[in-house]
Amino acid sequence: MHAVIYVCNLTALAAVAATSAFAQSTVTIWGVVDAAVSRGTSDANSVTRLVGSGISSSQLGFRGTEDLGGGMSASFWLEAGVSNDSGAGGATSTNNQSTGTGATSATGGAVTTTGTQGLTFNRRSTVSLTGGFGEIRLGRDYTPQFWNWTAYDPFGTNGVGTNRAMANSVALGGTTASTTGTAVRASNSVTYLYNHAANATYAGGGAGLHAAVQMYYGENLSDSATPKDGDGSGIRVGYNAGALSTALGYGQTKFAAGNMTMTNLGASYNFGPATLMAQVTKDELGTVKGDGMLLGVAAPMGAGLIRASYSTYETGTAESKQTAIGYVHSLSKRTRAYVTYANVSNSGGAKAALGGATGVADKSSSGFDIGMTHSF
Amino acid sequence: MHAVIYVCNLTALAAVAATSAFAQSTVTIWGVVDAAVSRGTSDANSVTRLVGSGISSSQLGFRGTEDLGGGMSASFWLEAGVSNDSGAGGATSTNNQSTGTGATSATGGAVTTTGTQGLTFNRRSTVSLTGGFGEIRLGRDYTPQFWNWTAYDPFGTNGVGTNRAMANSVALGGTTASTTGTAVRASNSVTYLYNHAANATYAGGGAGLHAAVQMYYGENLSDSATPKDGDGSGIRVGYNAGALSTALGYGQTKFAAGNMTMTNLGASYNFGPATLMAQVTKDELGTVKGDGMLLGVAAPMGAGLIRASYSTYETGTAESKQTAIGYVHSLSKRTRAYVTYANVSNSGGAKAALGGATGVADKSSSGFDIGMTHSF
Amino acid sequence: MHAVIYVCNLTALAAVAATSAFAQSTVTIWGVVDAAVSRGTSDANSVTRLVGSGISSSQLGFRGTEDLGGGMSASFWLEAGVSNDSGAGGATSTNNQSTGTGATSATGGAVTTTGTQGLTFNRRSTVSLTGGFGEIRLGRDYTPQFWNWTAYDPFGTNGVGTNRAMANSVALGGTTASTTGTAVRASNSVTYLYNHAANATYAGGGAGLHAAVQMYYGENLSDSATPKDGDGSGIRVGYNAGALSTALGYGQTKFAAGNMTMTNLGASYNFGPATLMAQVTKDELGTVKGDGMLLGVAAPMGAGLIRASYSTYETGTAESKQTAIGYVHSLSKRTRAYVTYANVSNSGGAKAALGGATGVADKSSSGFDIGMTHSF
């Protein structure tokens, strides 16, 4: 009684199309459901949770590309984050602020608890035109200044092993660049991509030089007190040559509460038995300055993959240092089981914590994920 | 690894089905992603934004029709609005009020900013039974009193060129018919459609006489202070004959704050080189009366389409007059690029403004959209 | 222009795949749109509404199973509730509390009305690994203690005929087990299923003995005032043999407001001309104890199905007794029309009411649904 959708590759589609009257266009539905039992422990407390996105971000999406002829194509991409431990969706921002997102619930007249957020295409919501000149993309997408954090992290900014530059807010009181509305994604953006496959993510830069340049709007009236609040721009320039991949990212956003800049440089080299990764980060948010680095390795072993990283982040005297190690076992190309363990130590007043536990200044914390991920 | 869905026409589906054991039913997934850089200017201020739905409403939907035999069919339609500049969804109403929609977010115990709304099937959410008698449709759908506003507007009530009857709330202080909960759609509705294709929109009336009759419930308890608040009904009767299309719409909703009636008459004639459109509107909301009109033209030129309209709306002495012109260039049947420019002038205290700028009484305002739309 | 998805059975898919290069995996999109005009009457008032889910729960879902070889498979299931009278989605819970769900809207700084909830995968959001050992399932799903309520109710806990154990909260002041956050589903759960088809619902137990065991987390910090608030577990053990089906369910959840236990036993026997059903329920919530029972019958007659039930629920001296009768007419395997009528009488202070009317202590109430349901 149900709609069973063909899952096929495009070669097969073309083969069938050759003998039938199929139109040329396709819609791709895809997703990830990743769930883990996660345990976090600190000097203050501990917590056991079922969490989503332990090694890959749970999502449901719809996308497609239409060939317009003459080397041109049009594309769309609608990708929703899924909190699959509860079935809730994920918040987005309409004005590039970190406030003003999410949903609330109320008991009586007072807002007492956080309500559940419905599905939004918070991960990406774009329409594009691609040609020999590159790609123009309109909507909500990753910022150029974010992408190196995840591309050169063996844990891909998911789970307890996420590098400290991305996770630093807990360590440093929630006032660093990663806590702002445009550290990862921006709404109301126009992006130009050079040497990327049509409709690809930023990671999809082709061989040789590739680049992404983006500007985004806070959409304030010109006579408001802060007309540029949430306006910003970013650039990422990278180079891929065989085993080597490297990229430089920079972005700035004007915020009424203090301007943000993010600068980062990452690189990876695939030695065959293992891929080594490194990145350095320099952030500013108002008068706060932050510095981070990461060294990481991803080593395939048969159907398995060993991942490890060492990352730090400091602002002023406060510093957090984290070691993470994990193992991923592929049950198929689409299904993997995994374990990750990480430990973070703090000094100078830093209070980073892992796995949902509460940080304590100058004390260490550990986190552990065990789970599975399935993509479709 | 991903689910690639066949895109085919029904003829092709039938051709394959003839030699295979496919079931008879289909689910259609469709959508529109339309994005524009939009600029609005008034005597008070200006603003630049990335907006969705510049010439067509961004949406994602699921629909299908099942042949029940004997000339009968059952259908469903679930259509979500998508704010593709941020990825947010669109609000709906459970009781046909304009309040009580949307989501909020809170900082501490106080609601300070508007939260992000998840996807709802706010554009249409219906199940239908169709036969020789016509179609009975249950759920949320357009109201009959709305449809002429968009069907006989060359800009289709999207973007800065939207006719004044639809856009009048800004001009007139937000107290006119278009600002009520049932001006465009109604929840909890039962609709009867005569001479429409099964599961079609109101615009899909067949040749000759067609009609839509709807009633909807505010769902109040009989002993509440306002038991009929949000109850209403509407009718649209139209006639299509070759190049001519015309329809009369009427609707009324009881509101505790003041009853609403909407009456409108629209017509279009396709002269070949151009289609001319005209509509007149007469609204009442409590003691406020409004009158509007539109003259418009849509002229295809090769792969292009030129659109222009002149529309007015007045209530008491306040009047807004708007001129809009636009060009749409088809890159394919599914992908179009466009520009639209509109200017509105105000008198008698009216303060309409375009493109997100703030209106000033008796001053003019202009808006400009440049973007692309892609349907799938 | 639209994506028409093949609807086919898996046999057909395999037949095509044999001569093409299709990959092995599929995504199934399915749904239900069920709408009824519903009328409720009590001694206090009456109300007419358009409601969803009159005999089956309106929903939209995405699911799939991947064969991993060696008798193993991986599966996902994302199922959203749809309020198709308005197009809104359904709320979920992130911490297994009945508060903290849903969305709100605000006028000014005060929360005045309930906002619209976007789509969430509140009905089920899971990823699974299945093998000879059974199935491990992670995410949000039905609780084992719920399932007998619906499996052995001829009205399947939908519409005005829903059995009293499920609907008892109205009768008894909203303080019984069915009003807690884990009476029907739980978030953050880990479930083990024995002798169920991969990715099946709890109802899908195979022939002979089958079982489901679940634990779920409230996800509180260990040093919080109520570290176990929302933690719980459940078990359901059943036996299917030809015409006979029976199952025992038990669950307990720790709540700061008072612990909950639910125990129930249900059975059905298909005599051919009719299937008889019976269930008994014993609940505790803090110091409140509840007892319920149901006797029901479902009798097919050609394309029709007659359903009837008698159910009671009492706590202390308060008791509600309900009689329900309905007729379902199949227009096809996927489309059905239906009518249901129910009447509830109260004594000892109970004030159950049907169809949205307001209950009055020791007075009776009736409800009536007439509608259609369509699945795809």
Side-chain angles (χ1 to χ4, degrees):
Chain A
M1 293 306 99
H2 295 153
V4 176
I5 300 168
Y6 272 92
V7 176
C8 58
N9 55 50
L10 287 165
T11 312
L13 181 62
V16 173
T19 56
S20 301
F22 292 117
Q24 301 304 307
S25 60
T26 55
V27 177
T28 299
I29 299 179
W30 84 97
V32 172
V33 186
D34 178 323
V37 176
S38 178
R39 175 88 182 157
T41 308
S42 74
D43 263 38
N45 51 30
S46 63
V47 61
T48 303
R49 303 179 298 167
L50 188 83
V51 298
S53 308
I55 63 168
S56 50
S57 298
S58 294
Q59 61 193 256
L60 176 69
F62 304 83
R63 67 171 191 257
T65 294
E66 178 194 22
D67 186 351
L68 299 173
M72 301 270 289
S73 62
S75 304
F76 76 97
W77 188 296
L78 298 171
E79 179 180 328
V82 176
S83 295
N84 51 298
D85 49 352
S86 68
T92 183
S93 170
T94 57
N95 59 356
N96 291 324
Q97 304 295 321
S98 58
T99 55
T101 59
T104 55
S105 69
T107 304
V111 175
T112 53
T113 51
T114 302
T116 51
Q117 171 72 50
L119 293 171
T120 68
F121 294 119
N122 60 329
R123 292 181 52 83
R124 184 169 157 193
S125 168
T126 61
V127 60
S128 299
L129 199 60
T130 305
F133 60 87
E135 177 177 348
I136 299 289
R137 187 182 293 179
L138 306 175
R140 178 176 174 82
D141 199 357
Y142 286 114
T143 53
Q145 60 263 33
F146 166 70
W147 193 258
N148 287 341
W149 279 0
T150 200
Y152 302 110
D153 175 355
F155 295 95
T157 54
N158 272 306
V160 295
T162 296
N163 71 63
R164 290 316 313 163
M166 175 71 185
N168 64 8
S169 63
V170 178
L172 303 163
T175 58
T176 56
S178 72
T179 62
T180 62
T182 59
V184 179
R185 294 180 179 88
S187 295
N188 316 314
S189 74
V190 180
T191 308
Y192 167 73
L193 295 138
Y194 168 75
N195 191 18
H196 285 71
N199 219 21
T201 62
Y202 288 179
L209 191 71
H210 60 83
V213 183
Q214 184 180 71
M215 59 181 297
Y216 40 87
Y217 302 107
E219 300 193 344
N220 306 289
L221 291 165
S222 60
D223 62 343
S224 75
T226 53
K228 294 187 179 300
D229 192 16
D231 285 2
S233 58
I235 184 168
R236 181 171 181 257
V237 178
Y239 186 76
N240 295 321
L244 173 71
S245 172
T246 184
L248 176 70
Y250 171 79
Q252 61 76 30
T253 309
K254 291 182 176 62
F255 288 118
N259 294 343
M260 176 190 84
T261 63
M262 283 171 58
T263 313
N264 45 65
L265 175 67
S268 67
Y269 194 92
N270 184 348
F271 287 93
T275 298
L276 296 189
M277 298 178 183
Q279 59 174 273
V280 291
T281 287
K282 230 171 169 50
D283 299 332
E284 288 192 34
L285 177 62
T287 59
V288 177
K289 299 186 182 191
D291 286 276
M293 61 76 68
L294 171 141
L295 290 172
V297 61
M301 291 187 58
L305 176 72
I306 295 175
R307 310 188 298 175
S309 71
Y310 174 74
S311 66
T312 67
Y313 195 82
E314 59 177 302
T315 175
T317 58
E319 184 170 17
S320 300
K321 299 178 181 179
Q322 177 181 293
T323 309
I325 186 159
Y327 176 71
V328 182
H329 189 81
S330 292
L331 300 168
S332 76
K333 284 191 179 178
R334 296 167 50 210
T335 305
R336 294 172 289 164
Y338 61 87
V339 291
T340 309
Y341 172 81
N343 187 281
V344 63
S345 64
N346 296 291
S347 62
K351 51 179 180 176
L354 296 169
T358 306
V360 177
D362 300 336
K363 300 292 185 182
S364 64
S365 169
S366 65
F368 182 73
D369 293 337
I370 179 167
M372 68 177 285
T373 186
H374 176 72
S375 63
F376 57 94
Chain B
M1 290 306 98
H2 295 152
V4 177
I5 300 168
Y6 272 94
V7 176
C8 58
N9 55 50
L10 287 166
T11 312
L13 181 63
V16 173
T19 57
S20 300
F22 292 116
Q24 300 304 304
S25 59
T26 55
V27 176
T28 299
I29 299 179
W30 85 97
V32 172
V33 186
D34 177 325
V37 176
S38 178
R39 175 88 182 157
T41 308
S42 74
D43 263 38
N45 51 30
S46 63
V47 61
T48 303
R49 303 178 298 166
L50 189 84
V51 298
S53 307
I55 63 167
S56 51
S57 300
S58 293
Q59 60 193 257
L60 177 69
F62 304 83
R63 67 171 191 255
T65 294
E66 180 194 21
D67 185 352
L68 299 173
M72 301 270 289
S73 63
S75 304
F76 76 97
W77 188 297
L78 298 172
E79 178 181 329
V82 176
S83 295
N84 51 299
D85 48 352
S86 68
T92 183
S93 170
T94 57
N95 59 356
N96 291 325
Q97 304 295 322
S98 58
T99 55
T101 59
T104 55
S105 69
T107 304
V111 175
T112 53
T113 52
T114 302
T116 51
Q117 171 72 50
L119 293 171
T120 69
F121 294 119
N122 60 328
R123 292 181 53 82
R124 184 168 157 192
S125 169
T126 61
V127 61
S128 299
L129 199 60
T130 305
F133 60 88
E135 178 177 349
I136 299 288
R137 189 182 292 179
L138 307 175
R140 178 176 174 82
D141 199 357
Y142 286 114
T143 53
Q145 59 263 34
F146 166 70
W147 193 258
N148 287 341
W149 280 359
T150 200
Y152 301 111
D153 175 355
F155 294 95
T157 54
N158 272 306
V160 295
T162 297
N163 70 63
R164 291 314 316 162
M166 174 72 185
N168 63 9
S169 63
V170 178
L172 302 163
T175 59
T176 54
S178 72
T179 61
T180 62
T182 60
V184 179
R185 294 180 178 85
S187 294
N188 315 314
S189 74
V190 179
T191 308
Y192 167 72
L193 295 138
Y194 168 75
N195 190 19
H196 285 71
N199 220 22
T201 61
Y202 288 0
L209 191 71
H210 59 83
V213 183
Q214 184 180 70
M215 57 182 297
Y216 40 87
Y217 302 107
E219 301 193 344
N220 306 289
L221 290 166
S222 60
D223 62 343
S224 75
T226 53
K228 294 187 179 299
D229 193 17
D231 286 1
S233 58
I235 184 168
R236 181 173 182 257
V237 178
Y239 187 75
N240 295 320
L244 173 72
S245 172
T246 184
L248 176 70
Y250 170 79
Q252 60 77 29
T253 309
K254 292 182 177 61
F255 288 118
N259 294 343
M260 176 190 86
T261 63
M262 283 171 58
T263 312
N264 44 65
L265 175 66
S268 68
Y269 195 90
N270 184 348
F271 287 92
T275 298
L276 296 189
M277 298 179 183
Q279 59 175 274
V280 290
T281 287
K282 230 174 169 45
D283 299 331
E284 288 192 33
L285 178 61
T287 58
V288 178
K289 299 186 183 192
D291 286 276
M293 60 77 66
L294 171 140
L295 290 173
V297 61
M301 291 187 59
L305 177 72
I306 294 175
R307 309 188 299 174
S309 71
Y310 173 75
S311 65
T312 67
Y313 196 81
E314 58 177 303
T315 175
T317 58
E319 184 170 15
S320 300
K321 299 178 181 179
Q322 177 181 293
T323 308
I325 186 158
Y327 176 71
V328 183
H329 188 82
S330 291
L331 300 169
S332 76
K333 283 192 178 177
R334 295 168 49 209
T335 304
R336 293 171 289 163
Y338 60 87
V339 291
T340 309
Y341 172 81
N343 187 280
V344 62
S345 63
N346 296 290
S347 61
K351 50 178 180 176
L354 297 170
T358 306
V360 177
D362 300 336
K363 299 291 184 183
S364 63
S365 169
S366 65
F368 182 73
D369 293 338
I370 178 167
M372 69 177 285
T373 185
H374 176 72
S375 64
F376 57 93
Chain C
M1 291 307 99
H2 295 152
V4 177
I5 299 168
Y6 271 93
V7 176
C8 58
N9 55 50
L10 287 166
T11 312
L13 181 62
V16 173
T19 56
S20 301
F22 293 115
Q24 302 303 306
S25 60
T26 55
V27 176
T28 298
I29 298 180
W30 84 97
V32 172
V33 186
D34 178 324
V37 176
S38 178
R39 174 89 183 157
T41 308
S42 74
D43 263 38
N45 50 30
S46 63
V47 62
T48 303
R49 303 178 298 166
L50 188 84
V51 299
S53 307
I55 64 168
S56 51
S57 300
S58 294
Q59 60 192 257
L60 176 69
F62 304 83
R63 66 171 192 256
T65 294
E66 178 193 23
D67 186 351
L68 298 173
M72 301 271 288
S73 63
S75 304
F76 76 98
W77 188 296
L78 298 172
E79 179 180 328
V82 176
S83 295
N84 51 297
D85 48 352
S86 68
T92 183
S93 170
T94 57
N95 59 356
N96 291 324
Q97 304 293 322
S98 58
T99 56
T101 59
T104 56
S105 69
T107 304
V111 175
T112 53
T113 51
T114 302
T116 51
Q117 171 72 49
L119 293 171
T120 69
F121 294 120
N122 60 329
R123 292 182 52 84
R124 184 168 157 195
S125 168
T126 61
V127 61
S128 299
L129 199 60
T130 305
F133 60 87
E135 178 177 348
I136 299 289
R137 188 182 292 179
L138 306 175
R140 178 175 174 84
D141 199 358
Y142 286 114
T143 53
Q145 59 263 32
F146 165 70
W147 193 259
N148 287 342
W149 280 359
T150 200
Y152 302 111
D153 174 356
F155 294 95
T157 53
N158 273 307
V160 295
T162 297
N163 71 63
R164 292 314 315 164
M166 175 71 185
N168 64 9
S169 63
V170 178
L172 303 163
T175 59
T176 55
S178 72
T179 62
T180 62
T182 60
V184 179
R185 295 180 178 85
S187 295
N188 315 314
S189 74
V190 180
T191 309
Y192 167 73
L193 295 139
Y194 168 75
N195 190 20
H196 284 70
N199 219 23
T201 62
Y202 287 179
L209 192 71
H210 60 83
V213 184
Q214 184 180 70
M215 58 182 297
Y216 42 87
Y217 302 107
E219 300 194 343
N220 305 289
L221 290 166
S222 61
D223 62 343
S224 76
T226 53
K228 294 187 180 299
D229 192 16
D231 285 2
S233 58
I235 184 169
R236 181 171 182 257
V237 178
Y239 187 76
N240 295 321
L244 174 71
S245 172
T246 184
L248 176 69
Y250 171 79
Q252 61 77 30
T253 310
K254 292 182 177 62
F255 287 117
N259 294 343
M260 177 191 85
T261 62
M262 283 171 57
T263 313
N264 45 64
L265 175 66
S268 68
Y269 194 91
N270 184 348
F271 286 94
T275 297
L276 296 189
M277 299 179 183
Q279 58 175 273
V280 291
T281 289
K282 232 175 168 46
D283 299 331
E284 288 192 34
L285 179 61
T287 58
V288 177
K289 298 186 182 191
D291 286 275
M293 60 76 67
L294 171 141
L295 289 173
V297 61
M301 291 187 58
L305 177 72
I306 295 174
R307 309 189 297 175
S309 71
Y310 174 76
S311 65
T312 66
Y313 196 81
E314 59 177 299
T315 175
T317 58
E319 185 170 14
S320 300
K321 299 178 181 179
Q322 177 181 293
T323 308
I325 186 158
Y327 176 71
V328 183
H329 188 81
S330 291
L331 299 168
S332 76
K333 284 192 178 177
R334 295 167 50 210
T335 305
R336 293 171 289 163
Y338 60 87
V339 290
T340 308
Y341 172 80
N343 186 281
V344 63
S345 64
N346 296 291
S347 61
K351 50 178 182 177
L354 297 170
T358 307
V360 178
D362 300 336
K363 299 291 185 183
S364 64
S365 169
S366 65
F368 182 73
D369 292 339
I370 178 166
M372 69 176 285
T373 185
H374 176 71
S375 64
F376 57 94

